Amino acid sequence: MLHHATPRHTTPTRRLRLGAAIAAAVATTTLMAAAPAQAEGPKQLDVASTFSTKNFLGAGAVRLSEELKSATGGEVGLRVHEPGDLVPAFEVFNSVSSGAIQAGWDWMGYWAGTVPITNLYGALPFGPSPEAFMSWMWAGEGTELIQAAYDPYGVKVLPCFISPQETGGWYNKEINSPDDFKGLSMRISGLGAKVLNKLGASTQLVPGSEIYLALERGRVDATEFSVPQVDQAMGFNEVAKYYYFPGWHQSASWFSLLINQQVWDSYSDQRKAQFQTACRATLQWAMAEAPPAQVRAIHELEAKGVEVKRFPEPVMTALQKAWGEVLEEEKQTNPDFAKAYDSLMKHAALIDEWYELQAMPQPMAVKQAGDAEEGSAQ
């Protein structure tokens, strides 16, 4: 049985109190709507870069800052610091993790000693193309897997930049057979170093800013670092004669913005989405800008006397065989690496199948109108 509540008599005093409360609520709401939104998260992130902003790799962080300002209407930006200004280059990850610095700009492979799965993102020998890698990162499991690996360290990762396949490196002697690697001292990072170790080379990781002197003073006989555009800026052609291709050890290289997790959590969902937008825009810029710039750089290096060469087939065969051994060892000792590798290669296979179906024959040479006129004149 339903009972109706007995109406309460509203006195004039009660009505006045009620009216005052409503008026106060309306005034508060009006003030909140008129007032600017409360600031959340840093408006300027200090970013410790592992690369000079004067070359293509470090310039990616500068471009990201520009894209972030555009995405946020100028409300958030990055203050990119040169290598060593805030912390040493190889301490960026740990410094972001501890909160000693807010953010960093890196090559992912630098942290393989701490997070082994980054070997795959930084330098995967005989891996898929940058286009396939990019697709896996943003349309596959790539970002999810690397973030899961960084979560225990309190680091948010935004993969915002990918470079094309690197070169095979700079050498002060010709590489004509696999035996030429025996006793060779080379600056090389990542899994490629383990491959060369199997062929008898000694390898070491030298910071980018020290490579030139290491080559000049004979500390190393050879080095790999990046793409021609960057290598040219580093001046390696002044201290090495032979420039080898292909970059078997690094089919694509990922660079990222690292943000301390607590700093990242201080941003709203909308602001985080704006970071993602800026990140993808920077990635698009890198992929569009890089390929033609590399060929121009190669032509300029050749004009300066650099000998551009390809590794002979027996050398490539030996490298690929050694990589097979290294790959199995990595998959057995690192389950996270095995999971990421299998995921990447399955995704890349889908892309390869699509392009194989769409493969076209080489275009036929087409004579220009001027060519026909010149022929008839002769």
Side-chain angles (χ1 to χ4, degrees), residues 317-340:
T317 299
L319 289 168
Q320 196 162 15
K321 181 180 178 181
W323 162 238
E325 297 174 5
V326 172
L327 175 60
E328 287 307 310
E329 292 167 3
E330 290 295 315
K331 293 177 74 172
Q332 289 178 12
T333 58
N334 189 339
D336 288 342
F337 177 91
K339 180 180 179 180

Side-chain angles (χ1 to χ4, degrees), residues 172 210-220 238-240:
N172 276 316
E210 300 176 17
I211 296 175
Y212 184 100
L213 285 178
L215 270 172
E216 185 181 45
R217 297 176 179 178
R219 177 181 164 188
V220 294
E238 300 171 4
V239 287

